C-alpha cells in the first residue's frame, strides 16, 4: 500500500533563515492577561513574584524562549497614554478600559513594569504606539523616554523615575488595526498619517534604526497592503502587519471546548486560509519590494471562540483544546515555509486571553496544548529553512477539502535537521513518505496528541496533554516513513550521517 502523503525536502541555493521572531507573543491590557495574569502586584504574598510579575509565568515563558512580546495592545494601544503609567504608582491616574469590559485599571503596570519584565523574560519588547487617539509628540516622546542615553526632557524624566540606562526598544508598531478600532481610517488616509508619525519617531538609541511596523490588513484586505506598499517610504518602514484569526463566524464563534465536528472543520479551514493570505499579501509586496526588505508581520493570529460560560464577555477567556494545538502547528508551518517574507508574528494572546499558552487561577498556573506546540517548535528559531514540496491527503467535510497534513523543516545551529508534521484529520491516521534528499543516520522525536480531540489541560489535570516520545517513524537512509496519529503534532530530529 502506497503512502497517503508524500513530502520531498530540497535545500535552496540561497539560504533563508526562519526568524526567531515568528515565535513572538502578545500581551494586551485585556481581561486577565496583564492584571491577574502576568502581574499580580508587588504586595502579593500568596503568589511568588519578582516586582509583581509571577515567577512561574516567567519560568514557563523562558522555557519557550519567547523572542519578543507585543504590548500594550491591540485595540487598547490606541487608547493608551503612556505618561499615565509612569512615576509613583499611587499617583497614577485610574483609567477605564473602553474596549475590553469597561473595567477601571489603576495603571500600576506601565512602561517601566513592562520593559523590566521583558528583561526578566530575556525577550525583546515590541511597543504598539497610540496613533488613533494620541498625538505625534506623545509617541515621539515615548521613543525618546525609553531609548535615549544622553540628557533630554524625556530621558531625564526616565532617570527621575528610577531608570538610568535606556532599554533600547527596537520594535515599534505605528498604531493598531487603523482600519477598525485604531481609528476606522482608509488605507490612503492611514498611509499619510503613518508617514507623519514615523518621521518623528526618531531613532534615539542609534542602534541601527527603529523597526517600525505599519498597521496592516484585516485578513483578505489586499487593497490595504497594496496602498501601504505604494505610499510608505522604504526608509520609514521595516514591517507591514497582517491580522487573521481562525474564527468560524464573527457572529457565531462556537464554544472553545464542546465544538461539533463541523465547527472543528470550519476552524481548521479558517486557520489554513492563513496560507493563502500570506501568499497573496506577499505577492503584492513582491511587486514593490522584490528584494524582500520589508517584512510581513502577522502580529495577531490564533483561534477565537465564545468565552467560557460565566466569564466576562469582554475578557475573551477561552479554554484551549487539541484543536488549538492543530491551529498552532499548522500556522507555524505556514510561517516557517514563508520565512523569506514572514519575519515576525505574535500569537494572541499569552495568558488568559484567546489562544493562550498559559492559564492562571489564583495561585495555580497551567500550560495549554498550544504552549507545548510552541515549545516543540522552538528548534526552528533562527534555523535555516529547508523548503519542501508536499502532496497531502485531504481532510474532507461534505464537498469541501483542505490538506490533512502540513509540514516544515529546518537545519538548526546544533547541526540537526528538524521536521515538524501536523495531521489535522480528527479520525484518520496518516502514512507519510518523506524523501529527505540525503541520507541520515538516526531519528528521534516527540508527539503531542490526546485520547479525545476536545481534551484540554485543566487546573486539576495540568499534564493531561503534554509531549511524549514518538515511535512512529522509520528511517532508511534518505527515506523516512512516519505514521501520524489523528489530530497530532510531531517534531522529529534527524542526525547527519
Ligand atoms: O486580540 C484581541 C483584539 O483583536 C485586539 O485588541 C485587536 O487588535 C484585534 O481586533
Amino acid at each position: 500500500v502506497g503512502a497517503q502523503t508524500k513530502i520531498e525536502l530540497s535545500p535552496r541555493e540561497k539560504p533563508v533563515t526562519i526568524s526567531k521572531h515568528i515565535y513572538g507573543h502578545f500581551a494586551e491590557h485585556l481581561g486577565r492577561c496583564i492584571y491577574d495574569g502576568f502581574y499580580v502586584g508587588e504586595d502579593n504574598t500568596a503568589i511568588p513574584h519578582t516586582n509583581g510579575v509571577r515567577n512561574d509565568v516567567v519560568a514557563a515563558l523562558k522555557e519557550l524562549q519567547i523572542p519578543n512580546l507585543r504590548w500594550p495592545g491591540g485595540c487598547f494601544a490606541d487608547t493608551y497614554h503612556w505618561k499615565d503609567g509612569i512615576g509613583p504608582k499611587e499617583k497614577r491616574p485610574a483609567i477605564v478600559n473602553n474596549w475590553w469590559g469597561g473595567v477601571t485599571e489603576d495603571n500600576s503596570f506601565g512602561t517601566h513594569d513592562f520593559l523590566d519584565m521583558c528583561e526578566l523574560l530575556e525577550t525583546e519588547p515590541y511597543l504598539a504606539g497610540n496613533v488613533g487617539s494620541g498625538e505625534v509628540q506623545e509617541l515621539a516622546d515615548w521613543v525618546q523616554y525609553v531609548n535615549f542615553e544622553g540628557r533630554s526632557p524625556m530621558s531625564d524624566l526616565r532617570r527621575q523615575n528610577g531608570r538610568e540606562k535606556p532599554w533600547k526598544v527596537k520594535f515599534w508598531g505605528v498604531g493598531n488595526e487603523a482600519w477598525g478600532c485604531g481609528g476606522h481610517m482608509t488605507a490612503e488616509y492611514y498611509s499619510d498619517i503613518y508617514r507623519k508619525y514615523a518621521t518623528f519617531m526618531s531613532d534615539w538609541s542609534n542602534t541601527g534604526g527603529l523597526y517600525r511596523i505599519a498597521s496592516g490588513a484585516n485578513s483578505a484586505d489586499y487593497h490595504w497592503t497594496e496602498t501601504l506598499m505604494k505610499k510608505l517610504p522604504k526608509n520609514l518602514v521595516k514591517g507591514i502587519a497582517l491580522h487573521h484569526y481562525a474564527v468560524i463566524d464573527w457572529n457565531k464563534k462556537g464554544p472553545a471546548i464542546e465544538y461539533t465536528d463541523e465547527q472543528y472543520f470550519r476552524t481548521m479551514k479558517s486557520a489554513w486560509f492563513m496560507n493563502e493570505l500570506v501568499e497573496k499579501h506577499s505577492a503584492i509586496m513582491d511587486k514593490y519590494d522584490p528584494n524582500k526588505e520589508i517584512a510581513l508581520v502577522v502580529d495577531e493570529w490564533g483561534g477565537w471562540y465564545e468565552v467560557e460560560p460565566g466569564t466576562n464577555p469582554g475578557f475573551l477567556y477561552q479554554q484551549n483544546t487539541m484543536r488549538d494545538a492543530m491551529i498552532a502547528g499548522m500556522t507555524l508551518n505556514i510561517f516557517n515555509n514563508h520565512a523569506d517574507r514572514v519575519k515576525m508574528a505574535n500569537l494572541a494572546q499569552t495568558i488568559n486571553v484567546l489562544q493562550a499558552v498559559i492559564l492562571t487561577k489564583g495561585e495555580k498556573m497551567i500550560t495549554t496544548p498550544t504552549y507545548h506546540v510552541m515549545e516543540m517548535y522552538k528548534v526552528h528559531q533562527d534555523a535555516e529553512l529547508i523548503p519542501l514540496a508536499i502532496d497531502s491527503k485531504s481532510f474532507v467535510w461534505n464537498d469541501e477539502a483542505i490538506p490533512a497534513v502540513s509540514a516544515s523543516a529546518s537545519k538548526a545551529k546544533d547541526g540537526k535537521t528538524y521536521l515538524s508534521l501536523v495531521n489535522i484529520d480528527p479520525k484518520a491516521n496518516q502514512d507519510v513518505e518523506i524523501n529527505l534528499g540525503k541520507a541520515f543516520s538516526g531519528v528521534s522525536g516527540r508527539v503531542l496528541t490526546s485520547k479525545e480531540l476536545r481534551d484540554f489541560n485543566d487546573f486539576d489535570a495540568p499534564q493531561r496533554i503534554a509531549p511524549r516520545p514518538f515511535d512512529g517513524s522509520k528511517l532508511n537512509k534518505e527515506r523516512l516513513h512516519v505514521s501520524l496519529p489523528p489530530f497530532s503534532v510531531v517534531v522529529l530530529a534527524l542526525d547527519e550521517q
Side-chain angles (χ1 to χ4, degrees), residues 26 28 30 70 73-77 99-100 176-177 179 181 243 245 250 300 304 316 348-349 353-354:
F26 174 29
E28 179 165 9
L30 193 179
R70 180 173 181 244
C75 294
F76 178 79
W99 288 113
W100 307 117
N176 169 73
E177 298 196 348
W179 43 264
C181 63
H243 288 182
Y245 286 94
W250 285 107
E300 286 186 32
W304 191 324
L316 310 186
Q349 298 191 4
V353 171
L354 298 177

